[in-house]
Amino acid sequence: MLLFSTILEIDKKLTKDDFINLVIEWNQKGHPESVISGIEWNGERNVRYEDENKCLEIQEYRNKNIIAVRFEKRESDGAVWDTDYIMNFSEMKMAVRLDRSYIEEALNVDTKFFTPFFISMLIDRGYILKDGNLEVRRTPLVIDEENLDLIVNVINGTARYKLPVVIITKTFYDEDPVDANKLAKELKGVAHVLVQKTNCTNRKLKELCNGNNEYYGAIGIYHPNPAIGHRRYLYRMSEGIDRILSDKVTRTVMQYSNSQMVGSLYTWFGVNNAILQDRLACKREENVEAEAERRKALYELLTLKSDLDQTKESIRQQALKEAKAEADRILDGFEGDMQKKDSEIERLTSELQKKEYEISWLRAKLDSMTDIPVLIAGDEDDFYPGEVKDFVLSAVKKELSATETRTRRYDVLADILNANSYEAIGEQRAEEAKRLLSNYSGMTPKLKKGLEDIGFIFDQSDHQKVKYYGDDRYTIIYASTPSDKGHGGKNNARTTMKKAF
């Protein structure tokens, strides 16, 4: 499974030796669990270092002026992590890819990962070229009055970059809606992160962008491809909104980056396959020459045999022996080379089988779904796992109960309900809230604890005011001493049902 992919334009000052030394430094100074002990590079450009469950391999493809590097790490639970750096010195471009291979024991491994630190090293050493007039950074670029045109040109479409541009605006209270530094670090090498210094520039931005700008905490993602357009994520004052927005932005940018087509010579398998094909082609030429030499030797042998008489039998025998030895040497050399190639092909075939296993597993997952999703998720996020899906299926169930059987509408709704295993989580939570509030006579500690367990957060200054999962849109105020206990509880329950369920 491809988790991270990007192609960076590299400054010509990076040499082949610099590249290899940087890769080795990355391994030696990186995470302790990834360090391969005892690496001493002696200038070789085709070398492999191994240490228990990890290895670092370097391959040079001279014909295309490419050096490919793969670091592979096998976890104890079966997950195999591959980090590839493919440097094309003819085009001065580098592909950085992070991949997690699937084997049977690793199907349920968490896919959480961190952007390769190697990109930070490239940035710090000044090896990555600018993307237009924007530097590739691992910190956000602050936008104020002086460089406001950077945002304006992106929004108006008059500036084009090879990497997506993420624009973070200040909230109404002039705060960042997310941790901009952390987000920029996560997106280094795959996106530019621009953060508004103050919301005082909102009015000017609105004028210069004809009202198309993000504002008051909204985050915009502008893709290089105009056909894709841009995504906008709105800010709402609710608990955990910073994490939700960060995850949305990271996921959207990574999906775009990973979906970009790359040439085969910017992948580890592509480079190795090209090297193998070139070697096979070269070996075929050598085999043709060897066969010609063998035939020539055999012809000379026969000629010599016919010319020699019985008095020169010893000389004939010696010549015959030498000719046979030469022919055997040529044929044995050819067989040895073929065995090496067969071994290489077997290794690559094994790698291909791993990839085919992953593809078949993913295909099986996809086959369990329809070709096109029935619905596309909007901007509302789950307050608890499966909440949005539960709401939709609840509506389907309600509509189904009012639909005549043996009709197309009934069959389609029933099919959707059956295919998505409706769990009625919302109904269960609603019933629990109704039970808690049925005999309401004031906000007791037990009632407060019960409401908190199903997602209600109490105002610190007023314990009668609650917000469903901390969202201001779903605020409920309970009476401190209701005059009618019976009706008061029912009214509270009815209000709660409308707001939350």
Side-chain angles (χ1 to χ4, degrees):
M1 175 181 286
L2 181 63
L3 301 177
F4 177 90
S5 175
T6 189
I7 292 184
L8 303 168
E9 294 191 352
I10 304 299
D11 194 289
K12 291 182 178 180
K13 67 182 180 181
L14 178 70
T15 66
K16 291 183 179 181
D17 287 355
D18 290 337
F19 174 54
I20 295 175
N21 279 317
L22 197 64
V23 168
I24 294 176
E25 181 184 345
W26 163 75
N27 175 262
Q28 297 296 288
K29 296 183 179 179
H31 195 281
E33 294 182 359
S34 298
V35 173
I36 298 177
S37 58
I39 292 183
E40 292 183 4
W41 187 57
N42 59 3
E44 292 182 77
R45 292 178 182 171
N46 291 282
V47 63
R48 180 184 177 92
Y49 303 99
E50 294 187 69
D51 186 4
E52 296 181 355
N53 63 333
K54 47 191 176 289
C55 69
L56 178 67
E57 187 171 358
I58 301 172
Q59 287 275 358
E60 182 180 22
Y61 184 20
R62 293 184 180 179
N63 290 356
K64 295 295 183 180
N65 204 22
I66 292 173
I67 293 182
V69 176
R70 162 159 287 192
F71 174 75
E72 181 176 289
K73 181 179 179 182
R74 185 179 294 272
E75 301 284 2
S76 58
D77 55 12
V80 180
W81 297 83
D82 293 321
T83 306
D84 298 338
Y85 305 122
I86 314 299
M87 181 62 206
N88 188 321
F89 285 91
S90 294
E91 299 179 358
M92 291 309 295
K93 291 183 179 180
M94 183 189 300
V96 180
R97 296 165 69 88
L98 176 62
D99 182 275
R100 189 193 69 182
S101 300
Y102 278 100
I103 60 176
E104 186 175 357
E105 295 84 357
L107 294 181
N108 296 319
V109 178
D110 184 15
T111 58
K112 181 64 178 175
F113 69 97
F114 297 96
T115 308
F117 179 69
F118 189 72
I119 295 179
S120 295
M121 298 177 69
L122 292 171
I123 293 173
D124 294 342
R125 308 292 171 87
Y127 285 133
I128 303 180
L129 294 178
K130 283 186 175 182
D131 182 9
N133 60 347
L134 289 180
E135 293 182 345
V136 177
R137 306 160 54 98
R138 56 175 175 154
T139 57
L141 176 61
V142 178
I143 301 298
D144 53 22
E145 290 280 356
E146 295 182 359
N147 59 357
L148 196 63
D149 60 303
L150 290 176
I151 288 184
V152 173
N153 292 335
V154 170
I155 295 174
N156 290 340
T158 56
R160 288 281 182 266
Y161 299 99
K162 295 180 180 178
L163 298 179
V165 178
V166 178
I167 298 177
I168 303 174
T169 62
K170 293 292 186 182
T171 66
F172 180 82
Y173 298 102
D174 218 21
E175 299 174 342
D176 288 336
V178 298
D179 187 335
N181 287 304
K182 182 180 179 182
L183 184 61
K185 185 177 181 181
E186 291 178 351
L187 299 181
K188 61 180 181 289
V190 290
H192 303 290
V193 178
L194 280 55
V195 59
Q196 189 181 23
K197 184 176 183 179
T198 173
N199 61 22
C200 295
T201 56
N202 280 350
R203 178 173 296 181
K204 188 173 182 180
L205 271 175
K206 183 177 181 180
E207 295 174 356
L208 296 173
C209 301
N210 297 317
N212 294 320
N213 60 297
E214 284 78 21
Y215 57 91
Y216 287 152
I219 299 177
I221 304 175
Y222 293 81
H223 296 99
N225 188 348
I228 298 179
H230 89 286
R231 294 295 303 271
R232 175 177 294 169
Y233 296 114
L234 302 179
Y235 173 79
R236 299 187 181 94
M237 291 186 63
S238 61
E239 185 178 3
I241 188 64
D242 54 340
R243 176 188 54 79
I244 292 172
L245 284 177
S246 292
D247 289 348
K248 280 187 175 182
V249 172
T250 301
R251 183 169 58 250
T252 300
V253 171
M254 291 300 181
Q255 286 175 346
Y256 172 82
S257 181
N258 293 347
S259 66
Q260 302 306 296
M261 295 294 294
V262 298
S264 61
L265 292 182
Y266 281 98
T267 67
W268 173 258
F269 285 108
V271 171
N272 275 266
N273 182 62
I275 293 175
L276 179 60
Q277 293 298 326
D278 283 4
R279 288 176 180 172
L280 289 175
C282 181
K283 187 54 62 179
R284 289 191 190 98
E285 294 179 1
E286 292 177 1
N287 293 342
V288 171
E289 294 178 1
E291 179 65 17
E293 290 295 328
R294 186 183 71 87
R295 290 179 182 274
K296 181 180 178 181
L298 292 176
Y299 175 76
E300 292 176 348
L301 173 62
L302 294 174
T303 302
L304 180 62
K305 181 180 179 181
S306 64
D307 291 344
L308 293 176
D309 54 25
Q310 292 297 327
T311 60
K312 298 179 180 178
E313 182 65 22
S314 62
I315 299 176
R316 186 185 68 80
Q317 290 292 340
Q318 181 64 27
L320 177 61
K321 182 179 180 180
E322 291 177 357
K324 286 184 176 180
E326 178 65 15
D328 290 340
R329 185 188 66 79
I330 295 172
L331 293 175
D332 289 344
F334 170 71
E335 183 178 356
D337 288 337
M338 287 299 99
Q339 288 177 350
K340 290 181 180 179
K341 297 307 170 189
D342 289 342
S343 176
E344 180 71 6
I345 291 173
E346 183 179 351
R347 186 182 69 81
L348 291 176
T349 300
S350 176
E351 294 289 344
L352 181 60
Q353 287 176 344
K354 288 167 55 181
K355 291 298 177 183
E356 288 176 347
Y357 187 97
E358 175 181 349
I359 292 171
S360 64
W361 183 83
L362 292 175
R363 186 180 290 114
K365 293 291 288 183
L366 291 173
D367 287 344
S368 66
M369 300 183 293
T370 56
D371 291 336
I372 302 174
V374 176
L375 297 173
I376 303 298
D379 291 329
E380 289 291 340
D381 299 282
D382 286 332
F383 279 165
Y384 56 84
E387 183 206 25
V388 173
K389 176 183 175 182
D390 192 79
F391 268 128
V392 174
L393 293 179
S394 174
V396 172
K397 180 183 178 183
K398 182 178 180 181
E399 181 66 15
L400 183 65
S401 64
T403 302
E404 184 179 350
T405 58
R406 295 182 177 277
T407 63
R408 178 59 178 163
R409 185 181 186 84
Y410 182 92
D411 291 340
V412 170
L413 294 176
D415 182 63
I416 291 175
L417 198 63
N418 293 333
N420 286 276
S421 60
Y422 176 49
E423 298 179 5
I425 302 174
E427 293 181 14
Q428 298 170 21
R429 285 171 166 253
E431 287 298 321
E432 178 62 10
K434 190 182 298 183
R435 184 190 68 79
L436 290 169
L437 296 167
S438 59
N439 297 313
Y440 182 78
S441 59
M443 190 55 63
T444 64
K446 182 178 180 180
L447 175 58
K448 181 174 181 290
K449 176 65 168 56
L451 291 174
E452 286 176 337
D453 288 342
I454 56 176
F456 292 92
I457 297 176
F458 284 76
D459 193 305
Q460 296 296 324
S461 60
D462 183 1
H463 288 184
Q464 309 306 125
K465 180 188 292 186
V466 298
K467 299 176 183 178
Y468 191 50
Y469 278 89
D471 196 317
D472 292 331
R473 295 175 293 173
Y474 316 120
T475 300
I476 306 169
I477 300 176
Y478 296 121
S480 57
T481 53
S483 56
D484 186 336
K485 294 183 180 180
H487 287 88
K490 292 180 179 179
N491 290 337
N492 286 333
R494 190 178 301 111
T495 302
T496 303
M497 297 304 107
K498 287 182 179 180
K499 286 284 187 180
F501 308 109

